[in-house]
Amino acid sequence: MNILKKLFAITMAIVLVLTVAGCGSNKKGNTDSDGFVKESTIKLPDLKIDSDKVYYLTWDDPSNLTTPSAYMYTINEKLKQEYGVSIEYIRTINTEIDIKAAQLVLSGNSPDMIAIRERDYPNFALKGIAQPWEPYMDFSEPVFEGIKEVNDKFRINGEVYRYFNTFVNNGMTWYWVNDFKELGLKTPRELYYDGEWTWSKLEEYAKLLTVKDTTGTVSKYGVAYEYDMHVVTGETYVKLNSDGSYSNNLSSPKLADWFNYSTRLGFEEKVRPVGTHTWDLFKEGKVSMLVYTQNYGGNHMQSELLAGDVDFAPSPKWDNADKYYAPATGFGAWLAQGAKNPNEAVAFMAIWRLCSGKIDPVVIEAQKKRDEILVGWDEEDHAIYDEMNDPSKFEFIISMDDGMGTTWGTADRSVFQKDVFWYNKSWASTVQKYTPVLNSAINEHEKSMSDFLKK
């Protein structure tokens, strides 16, 4: 962000305070005084609505439904406006959503929808916790245009159980702008524009940005990132075969290269902090660059983005990769087995798609105004974000092993990664130890899938 952008962001922050207080005026009729989308041009589905509530099992904070600066507020208010339906959260914690979902479904008290975690795919379908969307949802509706192709990739026995509203690039490099200015370095965004933003360049910069005293004690690290960033190599822990089965891919040389690279940065060069919650160190100014999720800035760094202190670029390109691979994430929901309000659930998904899918020009402009207010984004920010989500420029990768077996996704996978990433155990010996564990999880998955298909 330049100085003008910084001043504009501060001005818009003041506007946000006024509008949230109810003192602001409408902007071209597209938003009300709270900032939610009032107008749209995309035709929404005609649905038979029987309830004024739709029930969503999630770990999200319920205050987001009533806080004007929260994204889910926009969706909730638009859902009320268009369908007369409001969202009711059934709240649990992220790590227990599978347990809570099973309890509610088996007791006959099903929610209408369940929030998505990677580790629950495909288990919610195989175990009867979720049901297919398409008896109620019509992908030919204008609001769902362009998203069917994404959902087709994850069909189970020909059905969409886990529905994605959006499928986006989830790899961003967040960075403290002044750290680069002080050293006279190009920023990650400038490097990206010049075609130089690679993981080798990130390592070079991390060494320059790390601050150590004469004893080698680090007061500021150059970079932080999590072990799931291994997908930038284009490889994941399992491979999908042409017949639909999976095979163990832990022996991939590309995965070995990435984990050995990360070990070097963490334990030899000591430019990467080791341990949990390294994103908190970034917020505290103890890390110069954070390669992390795309929603981190809006959730945790609003004031820093508004002030122009923090900016973003795509995650780096893995050196010598045949494509620019990036971690992906999807937003949407499962339709719970026994849902009492499936049409209201479809209405919720339609509104979510309308507000997040960049399909309606009126909504896009309203959302841009919102982003200007909340995080100070200008046209350049939107342009690079849109480029990051262009599938012709980036290849999006999502791990397919997280939900395999009983314990792989919930325990074994995490311990396997931490052994190398946190505890400096050798990649080769760790792979040797966990190869039979993953093989067992794959076999368990294949049997569950076979049993499901026989029903």
Side-chain angles (χ1 to χ4, degrees), residues 180-435:
F180 293 83
K181 285 184 179 179
E182 287 181 348
L183 296 179
L185 299 172
K186 290 182 181 179
T187 66
R189 185 180 293 195
E190 290 169 333
L191 290 167
Y192 171 76
Y193 287 150
D194 293 341
E196 301 174 4
W197 189 224
T198 63
W199 283 85
S200 60
K201 180 62 73 171
L202 179 138
E203 179 179 3
E204 175 190 331
Y205 269 39
K207 292 176 183 177
L208 294 171
L209 291 160
T210 295
V211 179
K212 301 178 184 177
D213 64 18
T214 55
T215 67
T217 301
V218 178
S219 58
K220 174 178 272 190
Y221 290 93
V223 67
Y225 55 90
E226 294 298 305
Y227 36 67
D228 276 339
M229 289 300 297
H230 67 272
V231 299
V232 298
T233 64
E235 300 279 334
T236 61
Y237 300 145
V238 297
K239 276 189 176 294
L240 178 62
N241 303 315
S242 58
D243 63 356
S245 64
Y246 290 93
S247 55
N248 192 319
N249 193 44
L250 292 183
S251 61
S252 163
K254 293 180 181 179
L255 292 176
D257 287 346
W258 189 87
F259 273 94
N260 289 332
Y261 166 97
S262 298
T263 297
R264 183 173 69 251
L265 266 60
F267 298 97
E268 296 175 26
E269 303 292 349
K270 295 185 178 179
V271 297
R272 172 183 73 82
V274 175
T276 187
H277 290 236
T278 54
W279 54 86
D280 289 336
L281 295 178
F282 176 78
K283 184 169 178 62
E284 294 166 7
K286 297 177 181 178
V287 175
S288 292
M289 298 180 287
L290 175 68
V291 187
Y292 199 46
T293 59
Q294 58 94 13
N295 63 358
Y296 173 80
N299 288 344
H300 300 282
M301 305 293 291
Q302 279 191 14
S303 61
E304 293 85 355
L305 286 163
L306 277 167
D309 296 330
V310 168
D311 216 335
F312 72 93
S315 56
K317 183 179 185 290
W318 185 247
D319 295 79
N320 301 317
D322 59 332
K323 297 179 182 179
Y324 203 139
Y325 295 103
T329 191
F331 298 97
W334 301 87
L335 181 62
Q337 188 72 257
K340 297 175 178 63
N341 305 300
N343 286 339
E344 288 78 0
V346 172
F348 181 8
M349 293 300 100
I351 296 298
W352 197 343
R353 173 70 178 156
L354 175 73
C355 292
S356 64
K358 290 186 175 290
I359 56 175
D360 188 318
V362 173
V363 176
I364 290 171
E365 287 306 309
Q367 296 290 41
K368 282 184 177 180
K369 293 181 188 301
R370 183 179 182 275
D371 289 340
E372 288 170 355
I373 293 169
L374 293 180
V375 291
W377 276 22
D378 59 16
E379 287 298 326
E380 181 188 339
D381 296 317
H382 282 284
I384 193 170
Y385 181 78
D386 290 345
E387 185 170 317
M388 286 174 55
N389 289 289
D390 183 346
S392 71
K393 296 182 182 295
F394 289 82
E395 184 78 13
F396 304 147
I397 304 292
I398 190 167
S399 296
M400 299 296 288
D401 64 292
D402 211 355
M404 290 186 171
T406 304
T407 62
W408 176 255
T410 57
D412 298 328
R413 187 180 194 268
S414 177
V415 174
F416 155 70
Q417 294 175 124
K418 290 175 183 176
D419 276 355
V420 180
F421 204 76
W422 288 6
Y423 304 124
N424 200 22
K425 295 182 179 179
S426 83
W427 173 252
S429 63
T430 305
V431 166
Q432 184 177 22
K433 176 181 177 181
Y434 281 92
T435 291

